[in-house]
Amino acid sequence: MFSFRTTPLDRQEDLVLRKGSLAVLCNQSAWDPERQEYLFGGLYRSGRLRKVFYPADGLFGEILPDGTAPRKDVEYDRAFGMTGCRFIPLRSGAGEDFAPDPSMFEDVDALIVEYQDTGSRYDSMTAVLYDIFQMIHISGLSLSVYILDRENICGRQVEGTTLCPGSSEAAGIEGIPHRHGLTLGELANLFYSEVGAKFPLHIISYMVRPATQYLMPWSIPPRPDVPGLFTSGFYCGMVLLSGTDLSWGEGTSRPYELFGAPYLEQWLRGCGLDSVSDAGVFLRRTVFTPRFGRWQNQPCFGFQLLPRPGVPYHSVAHALRILRTLVSGRAPVDITMLPEVTGDEIFCGYVQGAVPGEELKEHIKVEEQKWIRKARRYMLYDDQLVRVKTIKN
């Protein structure tokens, strides 16, 4: 059973919401500016909230992946005065990837989901949501799911190619392009259909959320490595650099807006900006030192991406062109893991110089058009998906 609703959660008359036991899947973005409280706070007062599931890096993204100290989880139940409610990180006790299990939801009648998706197939929270949908369907668990919908943080623009089945988990969610353009609710609608699910799924329109009236989608960072107003616009492309030995700004205040490496110092001396330029961004030469992650505590020579206001920008195509320029210019970039992250042979062939720019451009065009045709079946709002049609070869 599927429904799309245009009244807020607290005005729903469903018996499972008024009488049942509840769980929440959320992060720090699930905050109501009118009531000035988190979603779980209001539900806890009802006396029916049993569990809160939150990301492995902390409810507020406060746990940094620096590896310098043992992990220490905040006791959120004590911090928020929510005795009897369990806060559960999306990982196993051994620190491995989260795998949803029916036993986690056996004492729950409804799961309420609210978080800000990053607009990319690489979003770890959305991957968890997809896994939960599969688990509910396969197990036959009696669980109603409510999605408090969110606008796409980077708009309706579509970028890249859909991920084929059998690809590495590092490449993201199967069947989703690098930048999908859908809202969280629309993605849930697609997952629900593709899984063949029958459990009750209810999408509550983002138009009735108080936060929509007061906050922009990026006002509260959706995750610690997507902190700024412009980060999400670069994320879908710059995440491809994680398949190389370049830094993408991890461990700095501007992740996915910076790129570079210690060994680029000499290469950049003979490099003009034109070789890595794009009409949609300014490139500012810079030096940065990551506090953790790749090239920790080492000066990295490279660029900062700055958006040109009002100019379309295709982050995936630009990231591929940056890599191709470095490889063809004999910069010692290690791209060994690039296939694991891209999940696309043509992308890798282009970076290595085996695929011409026109072929890459056509490949992206066809894939984006296919995705837009497919995604239309699951859209819940009037504004349409768009492509960036001017991609530099």
Side-chain angles (χ1 to χ4, degrees):
M1 178 177 64
F2 172 85
S3 71
F4 178 59
R5 304 186 177 185
T6 55
T7 53
L9 181 70
D10 58 6
R11 290 172 56 187
Q12 303 296 321
E13 296 297 328
D14 302 39
L15 185 62
V16 70
L17 291 176
R18 293 189 286 113
K19 302 292 185 180
S21 297
L22 307 177
V24 167
L25 170 64
C26 73
N27 62 8
Q28 63 172 339
S29 64
W31 185 73
D32 185 332
E34 280 193 334
R35 297 176 178 175
Q36 298 192 37
E37 67 177 1
Y38 291 95
L39 170 67
F40 51 77
L43 293 174
Y44 178 76
R45 289 199 307 274
S46 72
R48 295 187 302 281
L49 184 63
R50 301 289 179 262
K51 298 176 180 179
V52 177
F53 297 96
Y54 65 90
D57 53 20
L59 183 61
F60 302 95
E62 74 279 8
I63 302 173
L64 297 178
D66 56 9
T68 57
R71 174 182 227 106
K72 179 175 176 58
D73 290 322
V74 175
E75 295 181 355
Y76 299 115
D77 54 342
R78 293 180 56 190
F80 288 98
M82 295 173 57
T83 304
C85 180
R86 293 181 60 197
F87 283 77
I88 304 171
L90 301 179
R91 67 174 192 280
S92 70
E96 300 172 351
D97 291 340
F98 172 81
D101 185 272
S103 63
M104 303 175 68
F105 300 92
E106 285 178 349
D107 57 346
V108 172
D109 300 305
L111 173 67
I112 301 170
V113 179
E114 184 179 19
Y115 66 90
Q116 182 64 62
D117 175 75
T118 56
S120 170
R121 77 175 187 213
Y122 296 98
D123 192 286
S124 57
M125 285 279 282
T126 302
V128 166
L129 182 64
Y130 180 68
D131 290 342
I132 289 175
F133 276 29
Q134 287 187 307
M135 178 273 296
I136 298 173
H137 173 62
I138 294 171
S139 67
L141 192 66
S142 178
L143 182 70
S144 298
V145 178
Y146 293 80
I147 307 288
L148 305 191
D149 203 4
R150 291 293 187 106
E151 295 174 87
N152 191 307
I153 194 170
C154 46
R156 287 299 210 180
Q157 182 173 316
V158 172
E159 290 184 25
T161 58
T162 54
L163 183 62
C164 297
S167 299
S168 166
E169 290 186 2
I173 306 169
E174 288 183 4
I176 307 298
H178 297 82
R179 179 170 170 172
H180 54 72
L182 299 180
T183 70
L184 176 61
E186 290 168 340
L187 271 181
N189 188 16
L190 183 150
F191 294 160
Y192 186 76
S193 174
E194 298 214 328
V195 167
K198 302 298 182 183
F199 62 84
L201 172 64
H202 310 290
I203 312 296
I204 298 178
S205 171
Y206 71 76
M207 301 296 289
V208 300
R209 291 178 60 255
T212 302
Q213 304 173 37
Y214 300 104
L215 302 176
M216 302 302 290
W218 53 78
S219 296
I220 301 174
R223 47 192 265 186
D225 63 345
V226 184
L229 170 61
F230 306 119
T231 315
S232 61
F234 300 127
Y235 174 67
C236 304
M238 295 302 289
V239 72
L240 301 183
L241 272 59
S242 63
T244 75
D245 65 345
L246 293 168
S247 170
W248 64 95
E250 180 189 25
T252 75
S253 61
R254 311 312 300 178
Y256 304 109
E257 299 179 32
L258 297 169
F259 70 93
Y263 59 74
L264 287 185
E265 180 180 13
Q266 182 175 356
W267 185 87
L268 286 172
R269 289 176 187 154
C271 169
L273 288 178
D274 289 344
S275 62
V276 289
S277 67
D278 188 278
V281 293
F282 295 103
L283 289 173
R284 183 177 71 90
R285 282 280 294 270
T286 189
V287 180
F288 59 92
T289 302
R291 292 168 295 156
F292 57 84
R294 189 170 297 170
W295 304 115
Q296 180 179 359
N297 297 327
Q298 298 186 56
C300 292
F301 299 84
F303 297 93
Q304 180 183 9
L305 302 171
L306 300 169
R308 291 179 182 262
V311 180
Y313 176 65
H314 198 293
S315 65
V316 173
H318 189 208
L320 292 172
R321 194 167 65 256
I322 289 170
L323 293 177
R324 180 182 173 114
T325 299
L326 293 174
V327 170
S328 64
R330 302 186 181 278
V333 182
D334 183 350
I335 59 172
T336 305
M337 298 304 295
L338 188 60
E340 297 289 310
V341 177
T342 63
D344 193 297
E345 292 181 358
I346 293 180
F347 280 14
C348 296
Y350 171 78
V351 169
Q352 294 171 323
V355 172
E358 281 297 330
E359 183 176 340
L360 174 73
K361 185 175 180 179
E362 183 65 18
H363 176 55
I364 290 175
K365 173 185 174 182
V366 170
E367 286 288 303
E368 290 175 350
Q369 289 174 335
K370 285 168 54 179
W371 167 252
I372 289 174
R373 287 194 297 269
K374 175 182 177 178
R376 283 174 182 157
R377 300 196 296 269
Y378 308 103
M379 295 176 67
L380 303 170
Y381 307 91
D382 293 334
D383 48 332
Q384 298 301 302
L385 301 181
V386 296
R387 296 181 53 245
V388 174
K389 299 180 181 179
T390 55
I391 300 176
K392 183 177 178 181
N393 293 332

